[in-house]
Amino acid sequence: MMNPKRVWNFSAGPSMLPLEVLEQAQQEFVCYGSSGMSVMEMSHRSKDFANILEQAKNDLRDLMHIPENYHILFLQGGGSTQFAMIPLNLMYKNGCADYVITGQWAKKAAEEAKRYGTVNIVASSADTNFDRIPQLDETKFSKNADYFYITLNNTIYGTRYTTLPNTGDIPLVGDMSSSILSEEIDITKFGLLFAGAQKNLGPAGVTVAIVRDDLLGHAKPYTPTMLDYAIHAKNDSLYNTPPTYSIYFLGKVLQWVKAQGGVKAMQQKNEEKAALLYNFLDNSKLFYGTVVKEHRSLMNIPFITPDDETNAIFLKEAQQNGFVNLKGHRSVGGMRASIYNAMPKEGVSDLVDFMRDFETKHL
Ligand SMILES: *Cc1c(COP(=O)(O)O)cnc(C)c1O
C-alpha cells in the first residue's frame, strides 16, 4: 500500500481523494502561492481566488469538452438542492416533466419536482429492486414535457446508463453526481447536468451545474434568488460567498485528472478496475454481483454472499485488513465497493486478492 497509515477507502461519498492532491493541498495549506495566507482565509473577490475559480472552470470545460453555450456554475446545497432547482428553473413552458426512476436519488428528485408541477414517471425498475436501467419506450415520453430527467449512475444500486434516451427537442437533464469525469460523455445531448463534488470531484460543499444558456432566465417568479441559475450565471458563481476551499480543492482534482491523461484515460482505467472485480464476482462461488450485466456501474459495485452472517464476517475481516466502508446501502444489503477515479487499480486488485482468500477459507 502506498502509505502504511492510509486504508483502502471504498466509501460511496464523501470518498477517497487522490493522495497527490491531498499532499499538494497540505503543502499550500498555510500559505497559498505568494498570498501569505491560506485559501480558506482569502476574500472570494481577491485576485488569487478569481484565478482559482477561472482555472477550475477552464479545466472542467477542457476535460468535458463543454461548448461555450453552456455555463459552468459552482453552487451549494449538494445534489439534493438541484432536485428543487431543476423544476423551479426548467418547468416553465407546460409545467411538467418526465422522470425515469432508477433508484432512491431519482425518486427523491421526482418527489421534489412534484411540488412545482406535474411529474410523469415514464419508467421504473423498482419492481426488480433497481437492479437495471428500465427499458425506455419512446412512445411513452410526454410530448409536452419541459425536460426529461435521468440519473446517469445509480450510486446505491450500482447501475448506469450505457445509452442515452432520445428525447428530441426536449432537454435531457442528468444527475452525474457519482459518475462525472469517470467516462466520456457528449454534453451536447443534455440541457443540464449536475454533480455534487464529494464522489468524483473533491470534498463536499460544492455542486457543479452545467446549464445550456437557453434554459436560463425562466425561473418561476417565487423562486428564491439563490435557487435561480440565471443569478449564478450572471455573477459567475460569485453572487454570494461560494464554498471557496471546496472549489480550490476541486480545481486541484481537475488538474490531477488532466495529468492522468484526461477523461478518456480515466475511463480506460475505470473499465480495467471494474473488470477486475466483475470478473472475480462472475467466477466466484461465494460472492456475486446484484446488477444485470449490461447496466453495471463502473463506479459503484454492490455484491453479496448467500447469507447475512457471511456478509457480516466478511465486512469485519475486511475492515481489520484495511478495506473500509464496504458495507452496502441498507436497501440492497451486503457489500458495495465504490471505486471512483481516485481509487488506484492496486486498491481494487488488493480487494480482489483479499476476497479470493476469504472465499477459500469460507467455502
Ligand atoms: C450522493 C448523490 C446525491 C445527493 O447528493 P448530496 O450532495 O448529498 O445532496 C444525488 N444523486 C446521486 C446520484 C448521488 O450519488
Side-chain angles (χ1 to χ4, degrees), residues 77-80 83 105 151 153 155 175 177-178 198-199:
S80 301
F83 299 166
W105 296 119
T151 310
N153 182 74
T155 323
D175 177 353
S177 291
S178 51
Q198 69 271 23
K199 281 129 190 179

Side-chain angles (χ1 to χ4, degrees), residues 326-348:
L326 279 167
K327 194 169 166 39
H329 191 273
R330 60 189 179 281
S331 54
V332 182
M335 284 67 72
R336 169 180 49 175
S338 294
I339 52 172
Y340 298 115
N341 283 355
M343 174 62 71
K345 202 170 169 183
E346 189 194 350
V348 183

Side-chain angles (χ1 to χ4, degrees), residues 191-359:
L192 186 152
L193 278 167
F194 70 92
Q198 69 271 23
K199 281 129 190 179
N200 235 349
L201 288 175
V206 61
T207 301
V208 171
I210 303 163
V211 194
R212 209 173 60 207
D213 58 14
D214 61 290
L215 298 175
L216 296 173
H218 313 287
K220 293 182 186 295
Y222 55 82
T223 302
T225 307
M226 279 293 290
L227 300 189
D228 184 343
Y229 291 119
I231 295 284
H232 294 284
K234 197 170 117 214
N235 292 280
D236 201 8
S237 300
L238 290 168
Y239 171 73
N240 71 325
T241 316
T244 50
Y245 197 79
S246 294
I247 293 170
Y248 153 79
F249 207 105
L250 177 150
K252 291 245 166 263
V253 171
L254 296 178
Q255 283 177 8
W256 176 83
V257 173
K258 278 193 153 176
Q260 305 298 299
V263 178
K264 197 175 181 157
M266 281 320 328
Q267 175 171 350
Q268 198 179 347
K269 206 176 109 191
N270 289 329
E271 284 167 352
E272 289 167 15
K273 280 153 53 186
L276 274 179
L277 190 45
Y278 285 127
N279 287 339
F280 172 76
L281 292 172
D282 290 344
N283 293 297
S284 170
K285 295 193 172 60
L286 181 66
F287 297 100
Y288 49 101
T290 58
V291 169
V292 301
K293 279 191 182 168
E294 60 268 38
H295 299 137
R296 283 170 160 178
S297 169
L298 297 176
M299 298 282 97
N300 311 95
I301 305 186
F303 57 94
I304 50 179
T305 72
D307 62 275
D308 288 345
E309 199 193 331
T310 311
N311 292 341
I313 298 169
F314 173 78
L315 285 166
K316 188 166 160 235
E317 291 187 11
Q319 168 93 29
Q320 287 163 350
N321 284 275
F323 303 96
V324 311
N325 288 321
L326 279 167
K327 194 169 166 39
H329 191 273
R330 60 189 179 281
S331 54
V332 182
M335 284 67 72
R336 169 180 49 175
S338 294
I339 52 172
Y340 298 115
N341 283 355
M343 174 62 71
K345 202 170 169 183
E346 189 194 350
V348 183
S349 63
D350 285 359
L351 175 65
V352 167
D353 289 345
F354 176 75
M355 289 168 71
R356 192 177 288 116
D357 288 348
F358 184 90
E359 177 169 340

Side-chain angles (χ1 to χ4, degrees), residues 148-152 172-177 190 192-195:
F148 189 103
Y149 184 100
I150 60 172
T151 310
L152 284 148
L172 186 59
V173 170
D175 177 353
M176 288 195 87
S177 291
F190 291 86
L192 186 152
L193 278 167
F194 70 92

